[in-house]
Short mmCIF file of all heavy atoms in Angstrom, two decimals:
data_model
loop_
_atom_site.label_atom_id
_atom_site.label_comp_id
_atom_site.label_asym_id
_atom_site.label_seq_id
_atom_site.Cartn_x
_atom_site.Cartn_y
_atom_site.Cartn_z
N ASP A 1 32.68 37.86 64.10
CA ASP A 1 33.00 37.01 62.95
C ASP A 1 34.09 37.58 62.06
O ASP A 1 34.49 36.95 61.08
CB ASP A 1 31.74 36.74 62.12
CG ASP A 1 31.11 38.03 61.58
OD1 ASP A 1 31.72 39.10 61.75
OD2 ASP A 1 30.00 37.96 61.02
N GLY A 2 34.56 38.78 62.37
CA GLY A 2 35.66 39.36 61.62
C GLY A 2 35.25 40.18 60.41
O GLY A 2 36.10 40.86 59.82
N SER A 3 34.00 40.13 59.99
CA SER A 3 33.57 40.92 58.84
C SER A 3 33.32 42.36 59.27
O SER A 3 33.17 42.65 60.46
CB SER A 3 32.27 40.34 58.25
OG SER A 3 31.24 40.34 59.19
N VAL A 4 33.23 43.24 58.30
CA VAL A 4 33.06 44.66 58.61
C VAL A 4 31.61 44.98 58.96
O VAL A 4 31.33 45.64 59.96
CB VAL A 4 33.54 45.53 57.42
CG1 VAL A 4 33.31 47.01 57.73
CG2 VAL A 4 35.01 45.27 57.13
N PHE A 5 30.70 44.51 58.15
CA PHE A 5 29.28 44.83 58.33
C PHE A 5 28.50 43.66 58.93
O PHE A 5 27.28 43.58 58.78
CB PHE A 5 28.64 45.23 57.00
CG PHE A 5 29.27 46.42 56.36
CD1 PHE A 5 30.20 46.27 55.34
CD2 PHE A 5 28.97 47.71 56.80
CE1 PHE A 5 30.79 47.37 54.74
CE2 PHE A 5 29.54 48.81 56.21
CZ PHE A 5 30.47 48.66 55.18
N GLY A 6 29.19 42.76 59.62
CA GLY A 6 28.53 41.58 60.16
C GLY A 6 27.42 41.90 61.14
O GLY A 6 26.35 41.28 61.12
N ASN A 7 27.65 42.87 62.03
CA ASN A 7 26.62 43.21 63.02
C ASN A 7 25.37 43.78 62.36
O ASN A 7 24.24 43.43 62.74
CB ASN A 7 27.18 44.23 64.02
CG ASN A 7 28.21 43.63 64.95
OD1 ASN A 7 28.12 42.47 65.33
ND2 ASN A 7 29.20 44.43 65.31
N TYR A 8 25.55 44.63 61.39
CA TYR A 8 24.40 45.24 60.72
C TYR A 8 23.65 44.22 59.87
O TYR A 8 22.41 44.27 59.78
CB TYR A 8 24.87 46.42 59.87
CG TYR A 8 25.47 47.53 60.69
CD1 TYR A 8 26.85 47.62 60.88
CD2 TYR A 8 24.67 48.49 61.29
CE1 TYR A 8 27.40 48.63 61.65
CE2 TYR A 8 25.21 49.52 62.06
CZ TYR A 8 26.58 49.57 62.23
OH TYR A 8 27.13 50.58 62.99
N ILE A 9 24.39 43.31 59.25
CA ILE A 9 23.73 42.24 58.48
C ILE A 9 22.91 41.35 59.40
O ILE A 9 21.78 40.97 59.10
CB ILE A 9 24.78 41.43 57.69
CG1 ILE A 9 25.44 42.31 56.63
CG2 ILE A 9 24.14 40.21 57.05
CD1 ILE A 9 26.57 41.63 55.90
N THR A 10 23.48 41.02 60.56
CA THR A 10 22.77 40.20 61.53
C THR A 10 21.51 40.89 62.02
O THR A 10 20.44 40.28 62.15
CB THR A 10 23.69 39.85 62.72
OG1 THR A 10 24.84 39.16 62.25
CG2 THR A 10 22.95 39.02 63.75
N PHE A 11 21.61 42.19 62.28
CA PHE A 11 20.47 42.93 62.81
C PHE A 11 19.32 42.97 61.80
O PHE A 11 18.17 42.69 62.15
CB PHE A 11 20.90 44.35 63.18
CG PHE A 11 19.81 45.17 63.82
CD1 PHE A 11 19.65 45.18 65.19
CD2 PHE A 11 18.95 45.93 63.06
CE1 PHE A 11 18.66 45.93 65.80
CE2 PHE A 11 17.95 46.68 63.64
CZ PHE A 11 17.79 46.68 65.01
N PHE A 12 19.60 43.32 60.56
CA PHE A 12 18.55 43.51 59.57
C PHE A 12 18.12 42.21 58.89
O PHE A 12 17.24 42.24 58.03
CB PHE A 12 18.98 44.53 58.52
CG PHE A 12 19.04 45.94 59.03
CD1 PHE A 12 20.26 46.53 59.32
CD2 PHE A 12 17.86 46.66 59.26
CE1 PHE A 12 20.30 47.84 59.80
CE2 PHE A 12 17.92 47.95 59.75
CZ PHE A 12 19.12 48.54 60.02
N SER A 13 18.73 41.10 59.27
CA SER A 13 18.30 39.82 58.73
C SER A 13 17.53 38.98 59.75
O SER A 13 16.99 37.93 59.40
CB SER A 13 19.52 39.01 58.25
OG SER A 13 20.42 38.76 59.31
N ASP A 14 17.45 39.43 60.98
CA ASP A 14 16.77 38.70 62.04
C ASP A 14 15.54 39.50 62.49
O ASP A 14 15.68 40.62 62.98
CB ASP A 14 17.71 38.49 63.22
CG ASP A 14 17.13 37.53 64.26
OD1 ASP A 14 15.92 37.22 64.19
OD2 ASP A 14 17.89 37.11 65.15
N PRO A 15 14.32 38.96 62.33
CA PRO A 15 13.12 39.70 62.76
C PRO A 15 13.12 40.04 64.24
O PRO A 15 12.51 41.03 64.65
CB PRO A 15 11.98 38.73 62.42
CG PRO A 15 12.54 37.80 61.38
CD PRO A 15 14.00 37.67 61.70
N ALA A 16 13.79 39.24 65.05
CA ALA A 16 13.86 39.54 66.48
C ALA A 16 14.62 40.83 66.74
O ALA A 16 14.41 41.48 67.78
CB ALA A 16 14.53 38.38 67.22
N PHE A 17 15.49 41.21 65.80
CA PHE A 17 16.24 42.46 65.93
C PHE A 17 15.52 43.62 65.23
O PHE A 17 15.16 44.61 65.88
CB PHE A 17 17.65 42.30 65.36
CG PHE A 17 18.59 41.57 66.27
CD1 PHE A 17 19.15 40.37 65.88
CD2 PHE A 17 18.93 42.07 67.51
CE1 PHE A 17 20.03 39.68 66.69
CE2 PHE A 17 19.79 41.40 68.36
CZ PHE A 17 20.35 40.21 67.95
N TYR A 18 15.32 43.51 63.92
CA TYR A 18 14.78 44.66 63.20
C TYR A 18 13.31 44.92 63.53
O TYR A 18 12.80 46.02 63.31
CB TYR A 18 14.96 44.51 61.68
CG TYR A 18 14.17 43.43 61.02
CD1 TYR A 18 12.80 43.55 60.76
CD2 TYR A 18 14.80 42.26 60.57
CE1 TYR A 18 12.08 42.56 60.12
CE2 TYR A 18 14.08 41.27 59.94
CZ TYR A 18 12.73 41.42 59.71
OH TYR A 18 12.01 40.44 59.06
N GLY A 19 12.62 43.93 64.09
CA GLY A 19 11.24 44.16 64.51
C GLY A 19 11.14 45.12 65.70
O GLY A 19 10.07 45.73 65.91
N THR A 20 12.23 45.27 66.44
CA THR A 20 12.19 46.18 67.58
C THR A 20 12.11 47.64 67.14
O THR A 20 11.68 48.50 67.92
CB THR A 20 13.44 46.00 68.46
OG1 THR A 20 14.63 46.23 67.63
CG2 THR A 20 13.50 44.60 69.02
N ILE A 21 12.48 47.94 65.90
CA ILE A 21 12.40 49.32 65.41
C ILE A 21 10.95 49.77 65.35
O ILE A 21 10.57 50.82 65.86
CB ILE A 21 13.09 49.44 64.03
CG1 ILE A 21 14.58 49.13 64.15
CG2 ILE A 21 12.88 50.84 63.46
CD1 ILE A 21 15.31 49.16 62.83
N SER A 22 10.11 48.97 64.69
CA SER A 22 8.69 49.32 64.58
C SER A 22 8.02 49.32 65.94
O SER A 22 7.14 50.18 66.21
CB SER A 22 7.98 48.35 63.64
OG SER A 22 8.10 47.02 64.11
N THR A 23 8.41 48.39 66.82
CA THR A 23 7.83 48.37 68.17
C THR A 23 8.16 49.65 68.93
O THR A 23 7.28 50.24 69.59
CB THR A 23 8.34 47.15 68.95
OG1 THR A 23 7.99 45.96 68.24
CG2 THR A 23 7.74 47.10 70.34
N THR A 24 9.40 50.07 68.85
CA THR A 24 9.80 51.29 69.55
C THR A 24 9.11 52.52 68.98
O THR A 24 8.66 53.40 69.73
CB THR A 24 11.32 51.47 69.49
OG1 THR A 24 11.96 50.24 69.88
CG2 THR A 24 11.78 52.57 70.42
N LEU A 25 9.02 52.59 67.65
CA LEU A 25 8.33 53.72 67.02
C LEU A 25 6.84 53.71 67.39
O LEU A 25 6.24 54.79 67.58
CB LEU A 25 8.50 53.66 65.52
CG LEU A 25 9.90 53.95 64.98
CD1 LEU A 25 9.95 53.71 63.48
CD2 LEU A 25 10.32 55.39 65.30
N TRP A 26 6.24 52.53 67.48
CA TRP A 26 4.83 52.42 67.81
C TRP A 26 4.55 52.91 69.23
O TRP A 26 3.43 53.31 69.57
CB TRP A 26 4.37 50.99 67.64
CG TRP A 26 2.94 50.72 68.00
CD1 TRP A 26 2.49 49.88 68.97
CD2 TRP A 26 1.77 51.30 67.41
NE1 TRP A 26 1.11 49.91 69.02
CE2 TRP A 26 0.64 50.77 68.07
CE3 TRP A 26 1.58 52.23 66.38
CZ2 TRP A 26 -0.66 51.13 67.74
CZ3 TRP A 26 0.28 52.59 66.05
CH2 TRP A 26 -0.82 52.03 66.72
N ILE A 27 5.57 52.88 70.09
CA ILE A 27 5.42 53.41 71.44
C ILE A 27 5.80 54.89 71.50
O ILE A 27 5.09 55.71 72.07
CB ILE A 27 6.29 52.60 72.43
CG1 ILE A 27 5.78 51.16 72.53
CG2 ILE A 27 6.29 53.25 73.80
CD1 ILE A 27 6.65 50.27 73.39
N ALA A 28 6.93 55.24 70.90
CA ALA A 28 7.48 56.60 71.06
C ALA A 28 6.66 57.65 70.33
O ALA A 28 6.42 58.74 70.88
CB ALA A 28 8.93 56.63 70.57
N VAL A 29 6.23 57.37 69.11
CA VAL A 29 5.50 58.39 68.34
C VAL A 29 4.16 58.73 68.98
O VAL A 29 3.84 59.92 69.18
CB VAL A 29 5.34 57.94 66.88
CG1 VAL A 29 4.45 58.91 66.11
CG2 VAL A 29 6.71 57.84 66.20
N PRO A 30 3.28 57.75 69.32
CA PRO A 30 2.02 58.12 69.98
C PRO A 30 2.21 58.83 71.30
O PRO A 30 1.47 59.77 71.62
CB PRO A 30 1.31 56.77 70.16
CG PRO A 30 1.90 55.88 69.13
CD PRO A 30 3.32 56.30 69.01
N VAL A 31 3.19 58.40 72.09
CA VAL A 31 3.45 59.06 73.37
C VAL A 31 3.85 60.51 73.15
O VAL A 31 3.36 61.44 73.82
CB VAL A 31 4.53 58.31 74.16
CG1 VAL A 31 5.04 59.16 75.33
CG2 VAL A 31 3.98 56.99 74.69
#
């Protein structure tokens, strides 16, 4: 889209994206 922080804004505004952080931590930390 030509903006500087467009990718990061998209990531942290969409639950389908930022929800993967907690999912990955929920797997990696217990393991």
